[in-house]
C-alpha cells in the first residue's frame, strides 16, 4: 500500500523506529475503547426543584435515556423516556417538579425539538412538533412553573420568535415576534424578555425593554468585544442584570448593570483569564461565586457565606469541582469532579450538614485503569503570545515525574474545534486513549481560543491557516526541543476547526506531520461560509471579520488562499477524513470535494461517512467505530498500540467509500459488519 503514496512515509526504518519508541512507553494494560467512548453508565444528574426526585441519563436497551428515582433511593430508578436511536444528551426539570424536559434532533441535523415528560405517567409530549425548525430553550422560572419559554424559527429560518409553551399541555402562545432581528434574548423571572442582543457590521448592541414595550440601547460594543461581552441573567428583582463584559478591559469581567440608571459595578475579574462561570442562587439569581480557568479552574466566593461551601467541597473533593444542579431552596447540590484521574465522579452535597456523598462514577469500567496525569504548560509563540496547553504522557513513560518522557515519543497534536472554544484541564477521554496507546498527546490553545481575554481571541482574526497554524507549529517545535517527541513522528488530529487544522497541516506544512485525521472539518472556506445554517445569520458579520468576507474580492481571495482544497496537491502524508452526512455546520460537501480532488490527483485517502450523524458522532456504534478506525490509522502511521476491532462496529451505520485498505483490520471489520446475520432474510 505504501508504494501508492507519493512522499507518504519516510520508509520502513522510520516506521520501525517509531514503533519501538511507542512501545517503549509501556503504558500498562490496554484500556478498552468502549470504556472510554461507549455510553456512560450514568451521567448528568439533576435534582428536582423540590428535592423529592433525582434524574440522570443512562442507557436503556443500549440507548441513553432519562431515568428518575425518589431522592435517596437510586435503586428505585425507572426510565421515563424511550429513545431508540441517537440517545438523549440534554435534560432538565420543569419548576413544577412533575415534568422533565429534554431536547432531541433527528440524525444530527440540530433541528432540536423540546419534549416534556410527566414523571408519574411517563407521558411524553413533543412541545415543538414542527419539521425543519430549530427550538431553543430560552428559560424556565419558579414564578411560572407551568410554562417554558422557547425560541422557534418557524416564521423565518434566520430568526427565532419567542413562545410560551405549556409544559403539561403543549399549548403555545407567541409572546415576542422577532421583527427586530435580535440574535438572542434574556428573560426575567416572570419569563418576560428583558434584554436582547442585536448584531451588526460594526459590533453588537445590548438592548433593554422599556416601559412602553419597546427597546432602548443599553450597551454598544465593537467586534473586538463580541466574543467576550454578553448578557448572563436578569436578577430576581428585575432592576439589575449580570453581564460578562470586556468593554474597556482585556479579560471578561462579571459586571452588574442597573437597568434603570445604567450604572455598572464590576463584581469579579482576573487579569489572566475571563470569568468563566457564575454560581447563582436559584430564587434571587444573585451571584454567589465565580470561576476562572487559566491553567486550571479555580472558584472564588462573592457572598462570604458561600466560602464555607467552597472550603468544604475543596477539602472533600479537591479543587477541580463544579456545581451542576441545585434544589430551589439551595440546600442540596449536585457536584461533579472533573480531574484527569477521577473520570467525572458525581456527588451530592447537603449544605446544612456539610456531608458529601458519592452518587456514581460516570464510567466505572475505568476504575483501576492506567489513567495518566495531565500537565498544564505555557508555550511561547514566535511573536510572544502565551499558549496555554495540556500534555498527557503514557503511563510509565515519565519515571521522575517531571512532565517529560524518559525518551522521545510519537506525538498526537489534538486540536480543539470552534475555533472559539478552548482546551481545559480535566478528564479528557481522547488524551487518555491516545496516551494509553503509546503517544504523547498535546492540546494547544492557539490564538483565537476563548477564555484568555479579547486580545488573544482577536489575534486570530483573519489568521486561519496563518498565525493560528503557526501557533500549532510553534508548540510542536517546543515539544521537539523538550525531547517530548521527534520532528518526524507527529500526527495532527481534530474535529470541526480541529479537522480544518489537520487539513491545513497536511497541505500548508506537508512535511511537518506523519499523518492527519480530519473529523467534520471544512476544506473550502468559501463554501463553508456559503452554506452556514440560516439561523447563524446574526453571527455572519463575526465570521466575515474573523475568517474572511466572501462579499469582497479581497475576502474571496483570502478565503481561497486559506482553504486546504486550494493546496490539495501538496498532500504528502496519509489522511483520514470522517464526516456526518447530516452536519448542518460543516456540510458533507466539505469532505466530498477534497476527497474528489485527491482522487483526481491520484492521492490516496481514507474517507469514512456516517449517513445518520451530524457535527460529531452521537450513536454509540458510530462513536466507537470512529475511534477504532482512527486508532488503526494512527497505529499504521505512528506505530502505537491498537486494540482489535471486536464489536466496535456493532450498531454502526459506518460507510467507507474510499481507502479502507490503508487502515489495519478495517476491510475485515466492514465485511463482518455487513455480512447477513444467521437466520436473517434478504
Amino acid at each position: 500500500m505504501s508504494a501508492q503514496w507519493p512522499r507518504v512515509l519516510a520508509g520502513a526504518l522510520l516506521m520501525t523506529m517509531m514503533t519501538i519508541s511507542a512501545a517503549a512507553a509501556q503504558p500498562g494494560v490496554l484500556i478498552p475503547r468502549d470504556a472510554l467512548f461507549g455510553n456512560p453508565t450514568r451521567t448528568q444528574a439533576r435534582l428536582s426543584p423540590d428535592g423529592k426526585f433525582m434524574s440522570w441519563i443512562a442507557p436503556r436497551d443500549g440507548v441513553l435515556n432519562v431515568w428518575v428515582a425518589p431522592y435517596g433511593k437510586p435503586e428505585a430508578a425507572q426510565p421515563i423516556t424511550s429513545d431508540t436511536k441517537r440517545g438523549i444528551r440534554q435534560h432538565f426539570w420543569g419548576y413544577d417538579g412533575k415534568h422533565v424536559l429534554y431536547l432531541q434532533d433527528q440524525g444530527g441535523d440540530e433541528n432540536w425539538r423540546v419534549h416534556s415528560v410527566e414523571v408519574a405517567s411517563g407521558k411524553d409530549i413533543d412541545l415543538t412538533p414542527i419539521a425543519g425548525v430549530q427550538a431553543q430553550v430560552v428559560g424556565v422560572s419558579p414564578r411560572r412553573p407551568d410554562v417554558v419559554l422557547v425560541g422557534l424559527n418557524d416564521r423565518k429560518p434566520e430568526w427565532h420568535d419567542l413562545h410560551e409553551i405549556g409544559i403539561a399541555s403543549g399549548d403555545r402562545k407567541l409572546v415576542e415576534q422577532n421583527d427586530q432581528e435580535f440574535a438572542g434574548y434574556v428573560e426575567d423571572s416572570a419569563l418576560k424578555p428583558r434584554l436582547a442582543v442585536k448584531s451588526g457590521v460594526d459590533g453588537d448592541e445590548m438592548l433593554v425593554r422599556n416601559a412602553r414595550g419597546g427597546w432602548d440601547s443599553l450597551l454598544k460594543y465593537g467586534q473586538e468585544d463580541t466574543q467576550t461581552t454578553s448578557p448572563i441573567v436578569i436578577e430576581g428583582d428585575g432592576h439589575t442584570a449580570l453581564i460578562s463584559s470586556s468593554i474597556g478591559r482585556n479579560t471578561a469581567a462579571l459586571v452588574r448593570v442597573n437597568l434603570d440608571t445604567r450604572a455598572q459595578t464590576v463584581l469579579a475579574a482576573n487579569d489572566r483569564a475571563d470569568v468563566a462561570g457564575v454560581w447563582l442562587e436559584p430564587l434571587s439569581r444573585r451571584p454567589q461565586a465565580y470561576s476562572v480557568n487559566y491553567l486550571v479552574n479555580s472558584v472564588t466566593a462573592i457572598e462570604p457565606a458561600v466560602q464555607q461551601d467552597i472550603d468544604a467541597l475543596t477539602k472533600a473533593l479537591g479543587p477541580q469541582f463544579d456545581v451542576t444542579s441545585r434544589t430551589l431552596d439551595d440546600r442540596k447540590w449536585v457536584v461533579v469532579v472533573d480531574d484527569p484521574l477521577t473520570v467525572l465522579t458525581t456527588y451530592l452535597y447537603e449544605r446544612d450538614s456539610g456531608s458529601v456523598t458519592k452518587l456514581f462514577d460516570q464510567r466505572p469500567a475505568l476504575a483501576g485503569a492506567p489513567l495518566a496525569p495531565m500537565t498544564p504548560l505555557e508555550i511561547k509563540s514566535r511573536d510572544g503570545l502565551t499558549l496555554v496547553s495540556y500534555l498527557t504522557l503514557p503511563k510509565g513513560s515519565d519515571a521522575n515525574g517531571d512532565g517529560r518522557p524518559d525518551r522521545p515519543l510519537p506525538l498526537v497534536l489534538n486540536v480543539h474545534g470552534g475555533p472559539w472554544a478552548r482546551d481545559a484541564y480535566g478528564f479528557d477521554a481522547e488524551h487518555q486513549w491516545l496516551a494509553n496507546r503509546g503517544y504523547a498527546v498535546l492540546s494547544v490553545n492557539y490564538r483565537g481560543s476563548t477564555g484568555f481575554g479579547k486580545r488573544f481571541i482577536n489575534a486570530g482574526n483573519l489568521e486561519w491557516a496563518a498565525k493560528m497554524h503557526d501557533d500549532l507549529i510553534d508548540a510542536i517545535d517546543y515539544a521537539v526541543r523538550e525531547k517530548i517527541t521527534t520532528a518526524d513522528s507527529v500526527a495532527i488530529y481534530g474535529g470541526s476547526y480541529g479537522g480544518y487544522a489537520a487539513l491545513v497541516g497536511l497541505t500548508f506544512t506537508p512535511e511537518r506531520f506523519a499523518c492527519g485525521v480530519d473529523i467534520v472539518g471544512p476544506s473550502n472556506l468559501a463554501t463553508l461560509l456559503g452554506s452556514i445554517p440560516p439561523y447563524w445569520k446574526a453571527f455572519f458579520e463575526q465570521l466575515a471579520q474573523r475568517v474572511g468576507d466572501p462579499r469582497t474580492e479581497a475576502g474571496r481571495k483570502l478565503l481561497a488562499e486559506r482553504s486546504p482544497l486550494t493546496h490539495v496537491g501538496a498532500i504528502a502524508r496519509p489522511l483520514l477524513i470522517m464526516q456526518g452526512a447530516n452536519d448542518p455546520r460543516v456540510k458533507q460537501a466539505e469532505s466530498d470535494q477534497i476527497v474528489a480532488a485527491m482522487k483526481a490527483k491520484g492521492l490516496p485517502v481514507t474517507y469514512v461517512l456516517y449517513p445518520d450523524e451530524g457535527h460529531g458522532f452521537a450513536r454509540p456504534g458510530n462513536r466507537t467505530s470512529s475511534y477504532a478506525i482512527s486508532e488503526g490509522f494512527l497505529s499504521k502511521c505512528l506505530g502505537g498500540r491498537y486494540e482489535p476491532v471486536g464489536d466496535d462496529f456493532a450498531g454502526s451505520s459506518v460507510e467507507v467509500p474510499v481507502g479502507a485498505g490503508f487502515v489495519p483490520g478495517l476491510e475485515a471489520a466492514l465485511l463482518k459488519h455487513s455480512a447477513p446475520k444467521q437466520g436473517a432474510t434478504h
Side-chain angles (χ1 to χ4, degrees), residues 83-248:
D83 191 279
T84 60
K85 295 181 180 179
R86 291 178 61 74
I88 294 169
R89 287 151 285 154
Q90 305 175 63
H91 91 289
F92 56 98
W93 280 85
Y95 274 104
D96 66 353
K98 301 176 182 178
H99 291 83
V100 167
L101 294 98
Y102 71 91
L103 286 83
Q104 187 58 288
D105 68 348
Q106 300 295 315
D109 63 5
E110 298 185 18
N111 287 326
W112 303 102
R113 295 189 182 188
V114 184
H115 289 250
S116 168
V117 185
E118 186 179 48
V119 172
S121 67
K123 180 183 178 182
D124 189 314
I125 301 175
D126 183 349
L127 300 180
T128 56
I130 313 168
V133 168
Q134 186 196 65
Q136 299 176 346
V137 174
V138 178
V140 291
S141 172
R143 286 183 58 190
R144 303 283 308 283
D146 299 328
V147 297
V148 57
L149 189 63
V150 176
L152 292 171
N153 62 338
D154 55 335
R155 182 179 60 89
K156 283 189 175 182
E158 298 88 352
W159 309 108
H160 287 73
D161 300 326
L162 295 185
H163 302 259
E164 288 181 0
I165 303 179
I167 290 174
S169 66
D171 293 341
R172 176 159 54 107
K173 180 179 76 172
L174 178 69
V175 296
E176 179 83 8
Q177 184 164 298
N178 190 5
D179 294 323
Q180 300 271 3
E181 299 184 346
F182 291 141
Y185 296 91
V186 174
E187 82 292 353
D188 62 17
S189 60
L191 293 184
K192 302 302 180 185
R194 291 288 305 283
L195 293 179
V197 174
K198 188 174 182 64
S199 298
V201 174
D202 298 324
D204 287 359
E205 181 178 14
M206 202 179 300
L207 301 102
V208 61
R209 177 81 80 186
N210 60 38
R212 302 177 304 279
W215 294 92
D216 295 333
S217 181
L218 181 66
L219 292 171
K220 290 185 177 181
Y221 42 98
Q223 286 288 356
E224 68 275 9
D225 287 296
T226 52
Q227 281 284 338
T228 40
T229 302
S230 61
I232 299 172
V233 72
I234 307 292
E235 294 187 272
D237 62 6
H239 294 290
T240 55
L242 301 177
I243 69 171
S244 172
S245 175
S246 61
I247 300 170

Side-chain angles (χ1 to χ4, degrees), residues 44-56 67-72 91-100 119 282 325-334 348:
Q44 205 177 103
R46 300 283 185 261
L47 288 159
S48 64
D50 55 13
K52 294 180 179 179
F53 296 97
M54 180 171 286
S55 61
W56 56 79
W67 295 62
V68 173
Y71 180 79
H91 91 289
F92 56 98
W93 280 85
Y95 274 104
D96 66 353
K98 301 176 182 178
H99 291 83
V100 167
V119 172
S325 179
R326 303 163 180 246
T327 52
L328 190 56
D329 64 8
D330 208 24
R331 305 321 302 164
K332 298 180 179 70
W333 294 355
V334 170
L348 177 69

Side-chain angles (χ1 to χ4, degrees), residues 343-682:
V343 201
L344 300 174
T345 305
T346 301
Y347 295 85
L348 177 69
Y349 173 55
E350 300 190 60
R351 297 182 72 194
D352 292 337
S353 65
S355 66
V356 179
T357 305
K358 182 177 177 179
L359 294 175
F360 55 79
D361 291 317
Q362 291 191 18
R363 296 186 177 275
L366 291 176
L371 300 179
M374 175 182 279
T375 301
L377 301 171
E378 293 179 300
I379 299 173
K380 285 294 184 182
S381 72
R382 66 190 69 181
D383 57 354
L385 292 183
T386 299
L387 311 175
V388 171
S389 305
Y390 299 93
L391 175 69
T392 302
L393 299 175
K395 190 85 168 177
S397 67
D398 177 16
N400 62 5
D402 66 351
R404 301 293 183 272
D406 302 330
R407 59 181 64 85
L409 298 167
L411 181 142
V412 177
L413 181 68
N414 191 349
V415 186
H416 72 70
W420 303 292
R422 63 160 294 174
D423 287 306
Y425 183 83
F427 176 76
D428 188 306
E430 290 188 341
H431 269 238
Q432 296 295 343
W433 163 59
L434 293 166
N436 182 256
R437 272 40 175 178
Y439 310 119
V441 193
L442 181 63
S443 291
V444 181
N445 285 305
Y446 47 85
R447 71 191 66 205
S449 301
T450 55
F452 306 100
K454 67 185 181 186
R455 286 197 294 268
F456 193 79
I457 293 174
N458 295 325
N461 290 353
L462 303 181
E463 296 295 345
W464 288 42
K467 291 181 180 179
M468 291 166 74
H469 186 62
D470 289 344
D471 290 344
L472 300 178
I473 298 299
D474 292 347
I476 293 170
D477 289 342
Y478 167 89
V480 172
R481 289 196 305 271
E482 292 290 311
K483 295 182 170 38
I484 297 166
T485 190
T486 57
D488 53 7
S489 56
V490 178
I492 184 168
Y493 174 105
S496 195
Y497 178 88
Y500 166 81
L503 295 177
V504 168
L506 267 64
T507 52
F508 284 73
T509 52
E511 304 302 326
R512 294 305 305 264
F513 297 99
C515 59
V517 179
D518 154 35
I519 305 167
V520 297
S523 65
N524 182 336
L525 297 183
T527 55
L528 173 73
L529 296 186
S531 62
I532 60 173
Y535 46 82
W536 281 23
K537 185 173 182 179
F539 187 51
F540 181 80
E541 292 300 336
Q542 281 203 54
L543 290 172
Q545 296 200 29
R546 297 182 188 276
V547 185
D549 194 338
R551 299 165 298 191
T552 68
E553 183 177 351
R556 289 189 292 272
K557 181 180 178 182
L558 179 70
L559 293 172
E561 289 175 349
R562 304 292 175 80
S563 293
L565 185 64
T566 303
H567 309 280
V568 68
I571 294 176
R573 302 292 165 86
L575 173 61
L576 170 62
I577 294 176
M578 296 188 174
Q579 179 70 45
N582 303 321
D583 192 337
R585 309 184 194 191
V586 179
K587 300 290 197 299
Q588 181 181 333
E590 292 299 318
S591 292
D592 286 350
Q593 58 189 320
I594 195 166
V595 169
M598 291 180 69
K599 289 175 65 179
K601 293 181 179 292
L603 299 172
V605 60
T606 302
Y607 183 25
V608 178
L609 181 66
Y610 293 94
D612 56 353
E613 293 286 1
H615 199 64
F617 311 138
R619 294 183 57 221
N622 293 339
R623 196 165 57 243
T624 55
S625 67
S626 72
Y627 283 110
I629 293 168
S630 296
E631 186 173 312
F633 178 84
L634 291 170
S635 177
K636 179 75 174 285
C637 171
L638 293 182
R641 305 194 304 172
Y642 173 57
E643 179 190 5
V645 170
D647 294 327
D648 292 81
F649 283 37
S652 176
S653 66
V654 61
E655 300 174 1
V656 186
V658 179
F662 184 76
V663 179
L666 179 53
E667 289 180 317
L670 290 169
L671 187 62
K672 177 183 176 183
H673 178 59
S674 62
K677 305 297 185 288
Q678 186 175 4
T681 58
H682 299 277

Side-chain angles (χ1 to χ4, degrees), residues 290-301:
Y290 68 95
S291 62
V292 170
N293 195 339
Y294 183 63
L295 292 175
V296 297
N297 193 56
S298 63
V299 180
T300 302

